[in-house]
Amino acid sequence: MRKYLAILLIALLSATMFTGCGSGAAPTAAPAEASEAAPAANEAAPAANEEAPAAIEEAPAAIKEENVFKSLKIGIAYDPSTLDPGNIDIDSASDVAIIMYDSLLRDNSGQAEAGAAASWSKSDDNTQWTFTLRDGLVYSDGSPITSEDFAYGIRRVLDPELGFSNASGFLFIKGATEYYNGEGSIDDVAIETPDAKTLVITYTQPTFETEFTSYVYTPVSKALSEAQGQAYGTAPDKLLSNGPFKLTAWVPDASLTLVKNESYWAADQIKVSQIDFVVGAATSDTAVDMILAGDIQLSSFTNMNQITALTDEGFASKSITTSYRCMNTNNAGSSEEMKPFMSNVNFRKALNLAINREQLSASVLTTDMPAYRLVAPSEMGYSKAFVEEYPYQAWPTQSSDEAKAYLDKALEELGKTIADVPPLVLLCFESESSVTVLSAVQDMILKNLGLPSTISSQTIQNMISMAYGGQYDLWYGGNEVAVPDFLVSLGFDYTTEYHNATPGLRGYTNPEYDALYKDCASQMDYKARKDKLFEVEKFFCENVLNIVTGWTSTYYVSSPEVVGVQFRADGSPDYSRADLN
Amino acid sequence: MVKYILKRVAISIGTVFILATVTFFLVKLLPGDPFQNPTIPAQIQEKQRAYYGLDKPVAEQYFIYMGNLLKGDLGYSLKKTGHTVSDIIGMSFPVSATLGITSLIFSVSIGLLFGTLCAQFKNKWPDYLLMIVAVLGIALPSMVIGPILRNLLGVKLGILPATGWEKPSSAIMPAFVLGLGVIAGNTRAMRASMLSVITQDYVTTARAKGLSPMQVVMRHQFKNSLVPILTSLGPQIASTLTGSFVVETIFRIPGMGKYFVDSISNLDYTMIMGLTIFFGSFLVLMNLLVDIAYAFVDPRIRFA
């Protein structure tokens, strides 16, 4: 008996070992092939982006290829919670929405051009916009689209009973805030549809073309929306779209399949027949393995080790600045004892200069470019990059001596000594990478200023809650590059209006800044707005309203055959014009 | 028997009710607010709270929730907009359950086999060798062995799908990784149980009757050693079948595991409640089934 069992045991272990081994000569063809073609693709990618209009003019060539079935598989980090334009709230959902929905205007590599609206006009003060829709616009099911569908898409999101998260984009429409707050009627919201092809929207402040490239300005079928209620946008048969691609399958937490929408007005410009978004396949080692295995052709990354692992194998890479990395300052301090220090501009300047941006980028934030001003190099000015039109360096590269001098000055102004400064509270999300970054910042502040600090790492919602409660001095986080510029995001966050709505969050009020903000926001001319924006930026940097440490890049890594991916003004990708060589 | 089962069912319902009540109030004690978001204006956050009824007093929210629960309505997820908690569980549980069953078949079979062999070769080299192999399963956490296997078998050798849940073969790697940790526990439990059975009089009698060694092991030792394994199998089934955050993330499997983690991190109250009630009910059910299974495995056990 024992002999038999021993034989069985040996056989079992042997089988296990053979299963674990296998042929070492298994093919790894995909990376090898990619390797040869990669340099060409690397060079071609930017050119394709820059020359998008030219590529669009080559429609006849595309028509010859229309019978060729081309399929593109793209990795995204998360499953969209919904594809209802009123509630889309994460990048992964946005990537899908951009190719599903055709807005009034289209963002073509950062420039607004005709979309569902064939033409448009605006009032002299940029507050009233009149759009004329294209002839024959239809939803993906063939049903006609009128201006009333666009108007309904906006009115629905403004319904205060439904709590849509994207309502904020519409609150600047005349009468919208009053309606939303229960002080007005939907009939007073300035959205008019004089005829089936004309849509007129009036705003309370100047608005610019880029606003209308957002997927929130898309038509919504009233009948379907009302029939589906809260479930609208959660499955292919529970939404209607009008963009280059239509959703045909959605396996929750696994994948979304979109096929070319032949009824899209520019269907001849769409080269790919099908796009599959594969969930859980971005910014991770899983995504690296999936690209190497050929399971996906394109994905996004923010970790330099992962990016290098792929580019070393010959995959193409393109980086886009997508957000500001920053230490949000609580200008009211985390406690009454800390308040005088954090509200002192020289104290904030000391903290700002104590943080070595180059060192952070070289060690722990390897996909960041050190920031020497607020506006990122990728942001547009009135005709070219803002940083080229308005050269400026707010902060020196390395300045521990200067940091110490500012601290001494602050202490002198306050009549305090360094021993009077309580430990700073550094708040962050509980991830390992966040804690690593704050540990580095903690060391820099201690080394350069002699100030101790404690790190408070929290779950995401608790972190936000603590930030709302003002329980931090520096809060590690980021802000997305905004459209048309930072005035609508970080710029607004330091106004008294924002402070009154969220008293603990930033702790900053300054009438001088309010005046600058309002002056900039009310500019009717785009050039004048950018001129004023520069003034806001300088005030922002000189008073250290927020310690911007770097501009974060997202790297899009793809197989060499993938070309034609465009990037919008906010850095988000538009895969609708992609092609496969 | 029927009376025993009915009594256990009544206790189970009471347990789930207490679980739901305690969880509801514990969830409300979690710090933070699910709708606080610095990028969304305060007035919109208020509307969102009102939409989900979170602006009402907690006691009122509790009675509304329990009323809906009695009707089988677990509510809408606060974060996965437009999806009901029941739908999410309904879609993700079958995936996790399939993976879990595959993993359990693998890990329990190997665990029983290793445990039996260890007992037969007590304190000899096969015993030591198999225990080392089994313990290695625990020593290698899934977040280490998972990516290594994925890269080796899925990318370099290309003999199994690297990730996903599209093909039957997609289950092999994750089931193996998920089961590794369970093997060691089952091996140790089976070894100990069988060693206590080996010295029993009825085993000696069986040998004296002239039964072959294999017949003695299978008919008299193996079956009677299963009771302790069954005891641990109830919670083991419940936890394995309801998913693993790590394994599902590594292999990109659309199961339930991630919801357990994400719902707490995101303060998705209804999702936390739904998952807790589902998991609790499932655990209670599995334990009930295990209790009933005792009678079939060991006739000495009777239900008074």
Side-chain angles (χ1 to χ4, degrees):
Chain A
M1 165 67 188
R2 291 193 173 202
K3 194 195 296 176
Y4 293 130
L5 288 175
I7 291 168
L8 175 64
L9 168 63
I10 291 166
L12 182 72
L13 290 175
S14 303
T16 310
M17 286 164 69
F18 279 118
T19 308
C21 298
S23 169
T28 51
E33 287 163 12
S35 180
E36 288 168 18
N42 264 322
E43 288 160 18
N49 284 331
E50 287 161 17
E51 292 168 14
I56 291 166
E57 286 167 17
E58 290 168 10
I63 292 168
K64 287 176 198 164
E65 296 174 14
E66 69 183 1
N67 291 328
V68 180
F69 183 84
K70 294 179 178 178
S71 171
L72 179 60
K73 290 195 174 185
I74 300 168
I76 52 175
Y78 304 104
D79 193 32
S81 62
T82 179
L83 287 170
D84 183 334
N87 268 327
I88 288 171
D89 63 348
I90 56 171
D91 291 346
S92 298
S94 168
D95 291 354
V96 181
I98 285 167
I99 68 167
M100 269 179 64
Y101 296 116
D102 186 33
S103 308
L104 287 167
L105 302 183
R106 178 173 179 269
D107 186 322
N108 182 358
S109 298
Q111 300 296 324
E113 63 177 28
S119 61
W120 66 96
S121 61
K122 54 192 176 184
S123 61
D124 291 342
D125 61 358
N126 277 15
T127 56
Q128 189 172 72
W129 291 73
T130 304
F131 298 93
T132 305
L133 303 183
R134 290 177 188 277
D135 291 326
L137 283 182
V138 291
Y139 286 111
S140 47
D141 70 345
S143 55
I145 294 171
T146 68
S147 55
E148 196 51 48
D149 294 84
F150 280 91
Y152 175 72
I154 300 171
R155 292 188 189 117
R156 163 180 177 268
V157 174
L158 279 172
D159 187 337
E161 299 297 317
L162 301 179
F164 280 104
S165 58
N166 290 334
S168 58
F170 297 135
L171 292 177
F172 292 112
I173 295 174
K174 197 174 170 187
T177 301
E178 292 78 3
Y179 167 60
Y180 198 78
N181 292 335
E183 298 155 1
S185 154
I186 186 67
D187 298 330
D188 299 328
V189 179
I191 307 165
E192 295 162 58
T193 52
D195 59 59
K197 282 182 60 184
T198 308
L199 177 72
V200 183
I201 311 174
T202 307
Y203 293 83
T204 56
Q205 64 181 43
T207 306
F208 301 95
E209 270 86 352
T210 47
E211 172 76 14
F212 305 102
T213 63
S214 166
Y215 47 75
V216 296
Y217 284 92
T218 197
V220 173
S221 160
K222 187 176 182 183
L224 186 64
S225 163
E226 289 181 348
Q228 292 298 334
Q230 196 171 355
Y232 184 82
T234 58
D237 60 342
K238 292 176 180 171
L239 60 85
L240 276 178
S241 64
N242 64 329
F245 288 83
K246 59 183 176 181
L247 185 69
T248 56
W250 186 352
V251 182
D253 293 316
S255 64
L256 299 97
T257 301
L258 294 96
V259 299
K260 181 179 174 181
N261 176 12
E262 296 295 348
S263 56
Y264 174 52
W265 62 267
D268 59 336
Q269 296 173 14
I270 310 305
K271 312 284 172 41
V272 174
S273 319
Q274 178 174 316
I275 293 181
D276 290 279
F277 287 97
V278 181
V279 177
T283 64
S284 64
D285 290 339
T286 303
V288 173
D289 279 351
M290 289 187 73
I291 289 190
L292 290 172
D295 293 343
I296 53 174
Q297 292 141 298
L298 190 153
S299 190
S300 59
F301 296 89
T302 53
N303 179 309
M304 198 47 85
N305 290 334
Q306 292 165 350
I307 295 157
T308 309
L310 290 167
T311 51
D312 284 352
E313 294 289 338
F315 290 90
S317 160
K318 182 172 178 62
S319 68
I320 298 291
T321 304
T322 48
S323 59
Y324 307 98
R325 186 97 61 181
C326 54
M327 302 293 153
N328 295 289
T329 56
N330 176 8
N331 297 277
S334 58
S335 62
E336 279 303 311
E337 293 74 35
M338 185 54 92
K339 188 173 183 176
F341 298 102
M342 287 302 293
S343 58
N344 182 288
V345 66
N346 287 315
F347 187 82
R348 295 199 302 271
K349 282 181 181 178
L351 291 174
N352 181 43
L353 295 179
I355 296 171
N356 188 327
R357 293 165 167 81
E358 290 83 10
Q359 208 172 319
L360 284 178
S361 296
S363 56
V364 289
L365 293 169
T366 51
T367 56
D368 277 15
M369 190 191 301
Y372 303 112
R373 62 185 293 176
L374 172 59
V375 176
S378 61
E379 290 189 60
M380 285 300 292
Y382 55 90
S383 64
K384 55 182 179 179
F386 186 90
V387 296
E388 289 178 40
E389 288 168 348
Y390 303 93
Y392 176 52
Q393 180 166 340
W395 310 302
T397 51
Q398 171 61 44
S399 48
S400 46
D401 289 342
E402 208 173 333
K404 194 76 175 70
Y406 275 119
L407 177 64
D408 292 341
K409 197 173 173 184
L411 294 174
E412 189 184 335
E413 285 171 0
L414 296 167
K416 305 274 187 185
T417 67
I418 197 162
D420 297 324
V421 184
L424 290 150
V425 178
L426 312 182
L427 177 66
C428 70
F429 175 55
E430 62 182 352
S431 73
E432 186 187 345
S433 58
S434 298
V435 173
T436 305
V437 171
L438 275 195
S439 297
V441 169
Q442 188 179 36
D443 287 346
M444 289 170 186
I445 292 173
L446 184 64
K447 183 183 159 196
N448 295 327
L449 299 175
L451 295 176
S453 56
T454 56
I455 295 174
S456 173
S457 62
Q458 304 290 335
T459 60
I460 187 78
Q461 284 304 139
N462 197 30
M463 175 190 76
I464 293 170
S465 188
M466 286 182 69
Y468 267 81
Q471 295 170 266
Y472 74 97
D473 296 303
L474 296 181
W475 171 25
Y476 173 58
N479 283 273
E480 290 186 354
V481 170
V483 174
D485 45 49
F486 73 85
L487 199 75
V488 298
S489 55
L490 269 184
F492 176 64
D493 291 356
Y494 291 89
T495 59
T496 302
E497 184 184 347
Y498 187 80
H499 175 77
N500 289 340
T502 56
L505 200 53
R506 306 284 186 190
Y508 188 80
T509 55
N510 186 328
E512 192 184 347
Y513 180 74
D514 289 345
L516 272 174
Y517 172 86
K518 280 180 188 160
D519 190 19
C520 183
S522 62
Q523 293 301 314
M524 298 173 218
D525 174 66
Y526 204 55
K527 165 83 168 63
R529 179 182 171 105
K530 296 296 177 183
D531 288 343
K532 292 290 179 187
L533 194 72
F534 186 40
E535 289 180 32
V536 177
E537 185 196 16
K538 283 192 286 189
F539 184 97
F540 195 100
C541 294
E542 285 162 14
N543 289 277
V544 193
L545 302 195
N546 186 313
I547 300 176
V548 179
T549 58
W551 299 301
T552 307
S553 292
T554 298
Y555 285 72
Y556 290 84
V557 181
S558 65
S559 302
E561 69 268 20
V562 180
V563 295
V565 176
Q566 297 180 337
F567 291 92
R568 293 156 58 94
D570 62 358
S572 55
D574 178 352
Y575 301 114
S576 67
R577 267 62 176 178
D579 198 0
L580 295 164
N581 282 333
Chain B
M1 179 78 166
V2 173
K3 192 179 170 188
Y4 171 83
I5 292 173
L6 288 175
K7 187 179 166 190
R8 289 300 307 269
V9 168
I11 292 171
S12 300
I13 291 170
T15 305
V16 171
F17 172 78
I18 293 168
L19 176 74
T21 301
V22 171
T23 308
F24 184 90
F25 290 104
L26 281 178
V27 161
K28 297 294 175 189
L29 290 176
L30 284 172
D33 178 328
F35 291 111
Q36 268 183 342
N37 183 339
T39 62
I40 294 180
Q43 73 246 54
I44 294 177
Q45 294 177 29
E46 282 170 26
K47 305 294 184 200
Q48 290 177 325
R49 285 186 201 100
Y51 185 74
Y52 288 99
L54 299 180
D55 57 337
K56 295 183 170 67
V58 173
E60 189 180 343
Q61 288 180 44
Y62 170 74
F63 286 114
I64 292 171
Y65 185 85
M66 296 307 277
N68 290 334
L69 183 62
L70 287 175
K71 291 183 272 181
D73 179 6
L74 294 172
Y76 277 91
S77 162
L78 306 186
K79 294 291 177 174
K80 206 158 171 61
T81 316
H83 297 265
T84 64
V85 172
S86 305
D87 282 346
I88 293 169
I89 293 174
M91 285 185 289
S92 58
F93 176 66
V95 176
S96 288
T98 306
L99 174 62
I101 289 168
T102 314
S103 167
L104 273 178
I105 290 172
F106 159 72
S107 59
V108 172
S109 314
I110 299 288
L112 294 183
L113 179 63
F114 278 16
T116 305
L117 290 169
C118 284
Q120 300 304 318
F121 293 97
K122 185 189 169 193
N123 294 336
K124 295 202 168 64
W125 68 265
D127 184 17
Y128 299 132
L129 178 66
L130 288 174
M131 280 311 294
I132 288 171
V133 171
V135 170
L136 270 179
I138 291 184
L140 286 172
S142 49
M143 66 188 72
V144 174
I145 191 73
I148 291 172
L149 284 179
R150 185 186 65 206
N151 188 266
L152 180 71
L153 304 180
V155 179
K156 294 213 165 82
L157 302 179
I159 55 178
L160 287 172
T163 65
W165 194 249
E166 289 82 26
K167 305 169 191 167
S169 56
S170 301
I172 296 174
M173 264 198 287
F176 177 75
V177 172
L178 196 59
L180 276 180
V182 182
I183 290 175
N186 282 336
T187 301
R188 287 174 64 88
M190 188 63 184
R191 180 182 181 275
S193 177
M194 191 164 261
L195 284 176
S196 69
V197 168
I198 281 173
T199 55
Q200 296 290 318
D201 291 344
Y202 61 84
V203 174
T204 311
T205 308
R207 284 203 192 102
K209 276 171 29 185
L211 291 179
S212 70
M214 186 62 91
Q215 284 175 317
V216 173
V217 170
M218 296 312 294
R219 282 192 198 167
H220 297 282
Q221 294 180 12
F222 186 80
K223 194 177 169 189
N224 289 315
S225 304
L226 284 179
V227 172
I229 299 292
L230 276 178
T231 307
S232 64
L233 208 55
Q236 218 169 73
I237 291 173
S239 64
T240 311
L241 265 60
T242 47
S244 155
F245 175 76
V246 175
V247 173
E248 288 175 5
T249 303
I250 292 170
F251 294 104
R252 222 179 47 74
I253 293 167
M256 272 177 84
K258 80 184 194 74
Y259 289 107
F260 280 95
V261 177
D262 288 352
S263 61
I264 292 174
S265 184
N266 295 328
L267 291 185
D268 190 343
Y269 295 150
T270 45
M271 198 70 213
I272 297 172
M273 288 296 298
L275 288 171
T276 307
I277 291 166
F278 179 77
F279 182 78
S281 307
F282 195 60
L283 187 63
V284 164
L285 177 67
M286 285 301 113
N287 281 333
L288 179 65
L289 292 178
V290 166
D291 285 353
I292 295 167
Y294 281 155
F296 296 99
V297 173
D298 189 344
R300 292 172 301 177
I301 298 174
R302 290 285 177 269
F303 300 105

